[in-house]
Each structure stands twice: as C-alpha cells, then as structure tokens.
Amino acid sequence: MSFAWAKQYEPSNGLMRWVDEKLPLPRLVYNAVGAGYPVPRNLNYMWNFGVLAGFALVLQIVTGVILAMHYAANAEVAFASVEHIMRDVNWGWMLRYAHANGASFFFVVIYLHIFRGLFYSSYKAPREMIWLLGVVIFLLVMATAFMGYVLPWGQMSFWGAKVITGLFGAIPLVGESIQVWLLGGFAPDNAALNRFFSLHFLLPFVTAGVIILHIWALHIPGSSNPTGVEVKSESDTVPFHPYYTAKDGFGLGIFLLIYFAVVFFLPNYLGHADNYIEANPLATPANIVPEWYFWPFYAILRAFTFDFILPAKLWGVLAMFASILLWFFLPWLDKSPVRSGHYRPLFRKFFWFGLIPCILVLGYCGGAHLSPWTIALSQLATAYYFLHFLVILPLISSFEKTEPMPYSITDAVLNADKKPVLGENTSPAV
Amino acid sequence: MARLIAILVGLGFTLVVLISFGVDTYTSITEPAPETAEHKFHLEPKAVSFPHDGVFGKWDTAQLQRGYVVYKEVCAACHSMKFVAFRDLADLGYTEPEVQALAAEWQVPGVDPQTGEAVLRAGEPTDYFPSPYPNAVAAAAANNNAIPPDLSLMAKARHGGAEYIYSLLTGYQEPSEELLAEFPEAAPGQGLYHNPYFPNLNLAMAPPLTATGQVSYEDGTEATIPQMAKDVSAFLSWTAEPTKVKRTQTGWPVLGFVLFATILAYLSKKQIWAAVKPAKRKD
C-alpha cells in the first residue's frame, strides 16, 4: 500500500544499494513489514493473530520437515516409526509434541483471527479479497491438519480417516466410486496413508503461497482497525516497524508462554488416548471424534438425522461444507455501511449472545459422546448458525440504528482531530 | 439478490435441521433410550499419586525396578512390550553389566549362525522385549479369543492412564446385587471377569495379582496386591513415555527464558509506544 506519506526505502550502504538495484527484495520487505508500511495507530491486541498464524505455519513447517526425516509413511511401520521418534530420536519427543500441539495452537490463532474479522467486519469492501483468500487458507489448513492426524496411524487416525473420506460416499450415484478412488482402496490403508503424507507435506507450501497473496491483498487498502473508520491522514497511522513489530513481539511472547506450557507439561491433553493404540480396522473405537478444532463442524455433520427428501447423511455433509463455504459470501451478505461491531448495537448482541455461544455449544457437542442431549443441542445450535450468517446478518442492517462513530482514527485515539484540511470534525464529543 | 438466495438457503438448512430436532426429541421422549449397565455401573479410575506425577515429578527408580519385576513375573506371561528395549532399562538405575544380565534372563527369537534355523537365544541390551506368543493367532487361541494388548503404551492409550491401570488391577470384584438385579445380562459370561473400572464391565483377563508375596522384591518391600499394582502402574508410565521427566525438566528453563524475553518485549513495546500513546481515556 502506499499512502502519500509512506516512507520510501533508502539503502543505507553500498551493498544494499547494489542488492536493491538488482533485486528490490529489501524494498519489498521494507514496504511489507518495515517502516514503509503505515498502519492505523489504534490496532488492539486482536490484530496480533495474523502474525501469530504466520509464525505457527513456520513452526509447523520447521518441525514437520524434521519429523518427516524420521517418519515412515507405510501402514506396516508408521505407528512404530512415530514411537521411534518419541523414544530414540534425539529430542524427537519434543519435535513431535511441538508439531502436534503446534497444529492446535495454529487453529487457536486462526480462529481468533477469523473472529476478529467477523466482529470488526474486516471482510467488507475494500478488503473482500483478503477475506476470500483467508477462507481459502483456512480450508487448506483444515485439509492439512486432517491428513496430518492420520499419519501416526493410531486408532483415531484410521477411524477418523474412514469417517471423513466416507463423507464422499454420501454423494449420490458416484459417491462410492469417488471414495474408493480417493482412498486407493475400500478402506484407508497403505495407499491412502502414502497420499495423505505426500499431500500433508505439499499443502503447507501451497498455504504459504496463498498467505503471500493474502498479505499482498492486505497491502492494497491497508489494515482495517477497531473503529472501522478508514485512514484519513498521516496522524492516523504509525509505521509498522518499530510500532507493530514491537507489539507483535510481545504478543508472540505470550503465545509462546502458553504454547510451551502445553508442549512440556500437558502435551497429550488436546489429543485422544485412542491414538496411542495402533490402527486396527477390526476394532471400532467407542466414540470416534476428530481433533478439537473440527468439533463444531463435526457437530453440524452429526446434527442431521432425518431423511428429508435427501438422505440425512447427505444433508449433514452439505451443511458441514456450507457452514464454511458461506463465509465466502459474507462481504455481500452484510450490507451495513458500518464495519466495526463497536458501533452496531444489534449486530453486537447477536455476535456475543448468539454466534459465540452457538460455536461453543457446537464445539462441545462435536467432541462429546452422542446422547439425546448433545444431539438436540447441536441441532439447535446448527439451526442458529445458519440463521445467523444467512438470515440475521443480511437482515439486521435494514433496521439497526448504528451508534455515532469517531470522525477519524486520530479522533478516536486522542479525542481530538482538528485538521482543517479534512473539513469540519462533526463527530460528537465523547 | 445474493441476500435473497442466502436467506432461502439459510432457512432451508434451518428447516431441515429443525425437522431432525423435532423427530429426535419426540423419539427420545416417547421411547427414551434404555439405561445401560456400562453407563450406570462403570467407575472412574481411583485417585492414586505417583512420584513422577506433575510438573516437578521425578521417577522413583526403586519403584520402577519393583514394577519391572511385576511385569516380568506376571504380565509378561501374556503381554508383549514391543517398543521397549532392554537397553532402556538403564533409565531404571541399572548399570551396563546389570542391564546385560537382565537382558540375558529373556529368551528372544534369533537365528542359528551355523544352520540358519530359527532358534531362541539369550537377550542382549539391543534386543526389544519379546512377545510371549509367536503371532496374533496364537495369542488369541491361548486367551479365549481376546488378544492381550501390547503394554508399551498402555499408560497413554487409556483414559486415566496409570490410575486406570492401578484401578483395573485392584478392581476385580463380584458383580453387585444391585447390578445383577437391574441388568442380569451384565453378569460375567464364560471366561470373563467382572471389573467396574473396565469400560464394558467384564473383561477376559483373569485377575493377575492374586496374593501377597506373588513376586519377591529385592529391596524388601512387602509385595501386597496394592503395592504390586502401584509399582507396575508406575513402571508402565515409564514404558509409555520414558522421556516424561526429561520433558517437564526441560519445560522450566524454556518457560523461564520465554518469560524473560516476553518481559523484555513488553518493556520495549511500552518504550516505543510511549511517544504516540495518549493519556488513558475511557471508551
């Protein structure tokens, strides 16, 4: 992005001048995350999670590449090779716990990043493309995480793979053929494990590519901010470096404290005991559940139990995919001209008392043993989920009376912004 | 237009899931699912504490050595422990010659160097614990069709971990009158034994620890059933994760370093922002 006041890169020595002439990489970095990127000065800590998600991806790639040096993608020995990593590889236990819990923390920061986007309506024009690419990244990360969980070839790996690939079997007529083709067999086995490993290695790099597009698209309009008021003048911004590098550094420290506490003290808390039993196609676990980060979507899948015109299973699959794909349409569904949830009283109520409890209930039900209670709860929460995004969100802007917004970001921060060049400040005194 | 389609799709999914809700709720009220014996009489593991528990825990090598004796004398008759090698026993405080001597007490499958025939030979530190059965079919045939699971990872592979193992080993009992009155079919069948800590209440493993003094401990500890159960549970915690204590001990310096770095990061953030941060104002 270039605001008129964005600083231009000036090589400080001969070497950098030489590099910058041949390949303006230093310039790119300077403009992307350096002093050449002016950012709204009022970002709160919810704006830390993009950088943290990027950090989590790097962490996963680094630990994952080393783990791949010791792992064997063969159904005969995969489970034993993971135990070899845990017992015999130097610091292998730490790498594996860092990678397994790294996936969980990746999802924690991604979910917070998405909720930030939803609350502050970061998806609205002119930032639709950033949001669309973000949803693509989320789908890629979900696919990567699912295939990664299959690799240790424990009971949950195997049965999780069986259930999820079984979803393709719900497609009418061609479903079962597609399922067999995708798995390379009638049930997950060596062929499936090998292709999952190959894709699990590939997709993070595809993700990294889409992240570059995501950040590129971000730099066209620049970051949004908690007020949702666009940047108007230089006093609304601070350069990314050192202001946000310092703030992100502190955020990273907090993230690492929690992450390492889990890696070293509770490494199996987020996992499932059954995955320490080697995969056995003849013994079905009592309760097949995915990892926690899929629970809300798993609950939606299981909420459909009645064959209404289409088979219940197909409804579940459609709803589960729809629950994420509908995010692609949010920029065109939410018509309110006001971005930030701070100035939208009705939206805010539905967000905090509708959507958030709904997701938490779905998450709980997706991980719980099936019982009449959890099924009923997940059905009500699923109903609300679709109502929220597809009915409530498109409609509330029609009858919501939004609250007065600050005149500018500077006004919001300093409670004063008197720059005659911008015209009269009509914002009511706070 | 986009909004109209979205509203119709949204109402469609809502309608279908609410039909499922209505049908399921009606069914669960008119035909409530019957209570099951597993649900009503299954017990959560007993609370037992081990020296290696928690973030400051340390292995009690004397206890692990006693647990090894219980595994060798009792469990190993039916259960393999295929991910653990004899060399790993050095963690239990044994010296290298002691490990060699312990390994030599086991017979492991080998090859006769002269004839190439399969033979049994004395174990060496590099060997892994041998399976008591040549294959899964033999294991099932000898155990009423229930294959005794490998014990290497047992303390991680069950909800409750070492506490579950302890509870199971000390939890064998006659089914209660109340249970039999309500669920006559929950009585243990032929070759099954009642144990409320086992998820479906009846298991094929006969009570393995039956009498005080079943094994003899070198350190003079009295081998009561709870003592043996606790020792072998501790031993299986170690086999499941030999690096557990190293892990928690590594965690502290790592957290200390990150905490220090975070404080520095906070102070520099504060310093850098001081110039542009206004005085606090409430929003």
Side-chain angles (χ1 to χ4, degrees):
Chain A
M1 168 185 64
S2 136
F3 289 124
W5 57 88
K7 276 195 254 167
Q8 287 310 306
Y9 179 67
E10 279 161 28
S12 57
N13 58 52
L15 175 66
M16 293 314 273
R17 195 174 308 117
W18 184 85
V19 173
D20 192 54
E21 273 171 18
K22 310 313 182 245
L23 177 72
L25 187 63
R27 186 172 298 271
L28 178 74
V29 173
Y30 186 85
N31 290 331
V33 291
Y37 178 37
V39 185
R41 63 191 284 179
N42 60 336
L43 303 189
N44 60 30
Y45 278 103
M46 286 308 290
W47 263 260
N48 277 41
F49 294 102
V51 165
L52 290 180
F55 175 83
L57 178 73
V58 172
L59 186 76
Q60 290 304 84
I61 289 179
V62 170
T63 52
V65 165
I66 303 173
L67 285 169
M69 296 173 188
H70 301 280
Y71 169 78
N74 180 303
E76 290 291 315
V77 294
F79 189 84
S81 78
V82 171
E83 278 310 307
H84 161 70
I85 290 170
M86 292 299 285
R87 288 157 195 270
D88 298 330
V89 174
N90 289 330
W91 299 96
W93 56 269
M94 191 173 78
L95 280 172
R96 175 162 175 265
Y97 282 150
H99 194 72
N101 289 294
S104 281
F105 276 79
F106 199 172
F107 275 96
V108 169
V109 295
I110 286 185
Y111 280 132
L112 290 168
H113 193 56
I114 293 173
F115 283 130
R116 196 286 317 275
L118 290 173
F119 182 78
Y120 293 106
S121 309
S122 302
Y123 46 77
K124 281 184 189 165
R127 297 184 182 77
E128 305 96 315
M129 184 56 80
I130 312 170
W131 174 261
L132 299 181
L133 290 166
V135 180
V136 171
I137 293 168
F138 181 60
L139 291 171
L140 283 169
V141 173
M142 287 180 102
T144 310
F146 160 67
M147 289 192 256
Y149 192 60
V150 176
L151 302 185
W153 209 240
Q155 274 288 68
M156 277 302 160
S157 300
F158 177 88
W159 289 95
K162 198 168 161 75
V163 169
I164 299 301
T165 56
L167 299 180
F168 291 93
I171 302 169
L173 303 175
V174 292
E176 283 184 27
S177 311
I178 291 178
Q179 188 189 339
V180 170
W181 179 70
L182 286 173
L183 280 176
F186 295 100
D189 203 349
N190 213 27
L193 180 61
N194 266 298
R195 59 190 65 176
F196 280 15
F197 178 57
S198 174
L199 292 173
H200 183 71
F201 207 113
L202 168 72
L203 289 184
F205 297 97
V206 178
T207 307
V210 184
I211 287 173
I212 290 173
L213 300 182
H214 186 65
I215 298 172
W216 188 5
L218 170 71
H219 280 69
I220 306 300
S223 295
S224 179
N225 69 87
T227 65
V229 177
E230 286 294 339
V231 167
K232 288 180 174 166
S233 66
E234 186 172 1
S235 72
D236 288 347
T237 63
V238 290
F240 190 88
H241 179 73
Y243 290 96
Y244 285 106
T245 39
K247 194 167 180 174
D248 286 336
F250 174 54
L252 179 64
I254 300 290
F255 167 84
L256 287 178
L257 277 175
I258 303 169
Y259 168 69
F260 281 131
V262 173
V263 166
F264 288 105
F265 299 141
L266 292 166
N268 293 308
Y269 179 75
L270 297 167
H272 200 290
D274 277 36
N275 226 29
Y276 282 109
I277 304 171
E278 197 166 352
N280 181 357
L282 301 177
T284 317
N287 187 26
I288 303 175
V289 286
E291 290 280 84
W292 69 267
Y293 36 80
F294 292 140
W295 286 352
F297 305 104
Y298 195 54
I300 292 176
L301 174 74
R302 296 200 293 190
F304 290 81
T305 52
F306 185 74
D307 297 338
F308 180 76
I309 306 173
L310 299 174
K313 186 181 170 189
L314 183 56
W315 274 114
V317 173
L318 287 174
M320 187 181 73
F321 283 110
S323 68
I324 301 170
L325 296 182
L326 65 84
W327 291 354
F328 278 119
F329 300 95
L330 288 188
W332 297 278
L333 296 182
D334 181 359
K335 284 296 199 191
S336 174
V338 175
R339 286 200 190 90
S340 173
H342 277 312
Y343 309 107
R344 301 186 58 189
L346 205 51
F347 168 89
R348 201 164 60 219
K349 285 195 186 72
F350 279 111
F351 186 88
W352 288 117
F353 302 110
L355 185 63
I356 298 296
C358 158
I359 302 272
L360 293 177
V361 166
L362 284 175
Y364 169 76
C365 294
H369 271 278
L370 277 181
S371 75
W373 275 113
T374 58
I375 292 179
L377 273 177
S378 58
Q379 285 163 338
L380 292 176
T382 301
Y384 181 79
Y385 184 93
F386 283 104
L387 282 178
H388 182 91
F389 282 114
L390 295 177
V391 181
I392 295 171
L393 201 58
L395 290 181
I396 39 180
S397 58
S398 308
F399 42 87
E400 179 179 54
K401 191 172 173 336
T402 57
E403 290 163 359
M405 292 195 291
Y407 168 72
S408 69
I409 294 170
T410 308
D411 182 32
V413 177
L414 301 179
N415 204 14
D417 189 3
K418 306 231 185 306
K419 276 191 278 317
V421 64
L422 294 170
E424 198 189 347
N425 182 350
T426 54
S427 155
V430 179
Chain B
M1 188 62 190
R3 289 199 291 170
L4 187 65
I5 296 171
I7 290 168
L8 290 177
V9 171
L11 289 175
F13 277 118
T14 307
L15 176 74
V16 175
V17 80
L18 288 180
I19 292 173
S20 292
F21 171 74
V23 172
D24 285 352
T25 309
Y26 178 77
T27 315
S28 62
I29 290 169
T30 51
E31 306 159 29
E35 176 73 300
T36 61
E38 291 87 348
H39 183 250
K40 193 165 175 191
F41 289 92
H42 175 252
L43 297 178
E44 284 295 304
K46 304 172 189 176
V48 204
S49 65
F50 294 93
H52 54 262
D53 284 346
V55 294
F56 297 109
K58 282 207 168 64
W59 299 119
D60 175 352
T61 50
Q63 183 183 45
L64 298 186
Q65 293 188 4
R66 292 195 302 270
Y68 167 68
V69 174
V70 179
Y71 171 74
K72 181 170 182 285
E73 302 294 330
V74 184
C75 316
C78 304
H79 291 277
S80 61
M81 201 164 67
K82 62 183 177 183
F83 296 122
V84 183
F86 297 121
R87 62 182 151 84
D88 296 329
L89 293 174
D91 286 7
L92 271 49
Y94 292 113
T95 61
E96 207 175 319
E98 283 172 332
V99 169
Q100 279 170 354
L102 288 171
E105 291 171 8
W106 295 77
Q107 290 289 304
V108 301
V111 173
D112 186 319
Q114 308 298 321
T115 65
E117 279 175 25
V119 292
L120 287 177
R121 61 169 172 81
E124 291 172 16
T126 50
D127 290 317
Y128 283 77
F129 277 85
S131 169
Y133 303 103
N135 52 51
V137 178
N143 289 285
N144 202 13
N145 264 337
I147 300 175
D150 185 85
L151 291 186
S152 317
L153 283 162
M154 194 48 74
K156 276 162 112 182
R158 294 291 183 277
H159 174 68
E163 290 186 334
Y164 166 80
I165 297 170
Y166 175 84
S167 308
L168 193 79
L169 291 174
T170 57
Y172 284 92
Q173 52 191 261
E174 287 302 312
S176 65
E177 296 288 324
E178 194 193 346
L179 169 67
L180 292 179
E182 197 174 344
F183 303 100
E185 73 283 0
Q190 181 66 34
L192 292 176
Y193 304 87
H194 181 74
N195 192 323
Y197 298 96
F198 192 67
N200 66 7
L201 306 182
N202 295 303
L203 77 164
M205 175 169 76
L209 302 175
T210 48
T212 300
Q214 191 175 349
V215 302
S216 49
Y217 285 145
E218 279 180 20
D219 64 359
T221 306
E222 195 190 3
T224 60
I225 290 176
Q227 182 69 44
M228 289 187 287
K230 197 169 174 186
D231 291 343
V232 80
S233 304
F235 175 72
L236 291 176
S237 304
W238 171 77
T239 64
E241 191 171 4
T243 53
K244 196 246 159 198
V245 168
K246 188 181 179 187
R247 163 163 67 74
T248 52
Q249 286 179 346
T250 312
W252 288 110
V254 170
L255 282 186
F257 172 79
V258 177
L259 181 65
F260 176 68
T262 306
I263 292 170
L264 287 187
Y266 174 71
L267 293 175
S268 44
K269 186 247 158 194
K270 218 175 139 187
Q271 169 92 6
I272 286 165
W273 279 83
V276 294
K277 262 275 190 269
K280 277 267 173 231
R281 90 183 233 276
K282 52 183 193 305
D283 241 316

